[in-house]
Amino acid sequence: MNPELLMGYRAVGETVAGVDAWVDAVSAVFMVVGAALSLGAAIGLLRFPDLLSRMHAATKPQVLGLFLLLAAIGLQLRTWWVWPVLLVAWIFQLLTVPVSAHMVGRAGYRTKHLHRELLTSDELEAVVQKAAGNPPPEE
């Protein structure tokens, strides 16, 4: 046993087996949790009753699941140049998913593809009524 390896020193080109094992374990946990979040989003898309619930299930766990999967890829590749590419991919998702979910939600609301009885508050109704030229409903 080389005492320099025990103290954390290593020669160029040598790897410490303990560090590799930890990186593999962390990336495996990230992959499993990221895949579980993606699976939960898919199940939510199939099981939830209306558009707004399905949209929530599709957007919330998807961004975190993708982040964990991209982090696992970055850890497994063990090169510095891949991290900016993965970061750009994640930031693109982080910026576009809320915008697309907002647009789908508004389109679904205007075309009545939702269950009003499942809403706890409806803040958009007055805006839609005003845009349509109708007076807002009295509460």
Side-chain angles (χ1 to χ4, degrees), residues 23-82:
V23 168
D24 288 341
V26 169
S27 63
V29 168
F30 282 0
M31 282 186 217
V32 169
V33 173
L37 285 169
S38 297
L39 178 65
I43 291 171
L45 279 173
L46 295 174
R47 301 285 301 178
F48 285 160
D50 67 333
L51 173 73
L52 299 178
S53 302
R54 289 178 181 165
M55 191 177 55
H56 179 78
T59 57
K60 298 293 183 185
Q62 183 262 342
V63 173
L64 180 59
L66 178 70
F67 171 73
L68 291 174
L69 289 172
L70 291 175
I73 290 170
L75 289 173
Q76 281 299 307
L77 291 178
R78 292 180 173 87
T79 56
W80 68 269
W81 63 267
V82 77

Side-chain angles (χ1 to χ4, degrees), residues 46-128:
L46 295 174
R47 301 285 301 178
F48 285 160
D50 67 333
L51 173 73
L52 299 178
S53 302
R54 289 178 181 165
M55 191 177 55
H56 179 78
T59 57
K60 298 293 183 185
Q62 183 262 342
V63 173
L64 180 59
L66 178 70
F67 171 73
L68 291 174
L69 289 172
L70 291 175
I73 290 170
L75 289 173
Q76 281 299 307
L77 291 178
R78 292 180 173 87
T79 56
W80 68 269
W81 63 267
V82 77
W83 283 99
V85 174
L86 297 175
L87 184 66
V88 166
W90 185 63
I91 288 175
F92 181 73
Q93 284 289 309
L94 195 64
L95 294 176
T96 58
V97 166
V99 174
S100 62
H102 177 78
M103 298 306 291
V104 169
R106 277 212 133 167
Y109 185 90
R110 288 176 184 256
T111 58
K112 311 284 191 248
H113 285 92
L114 61 118
H115 296 290
R116 289 198 182 271
E117 66 274 1
L118 296 176
L119 295 177
T120 56
S121 67
D122 190 359
E123 298 171 355
L124 189 57
E125 184 175 7
V127 175
V128 171

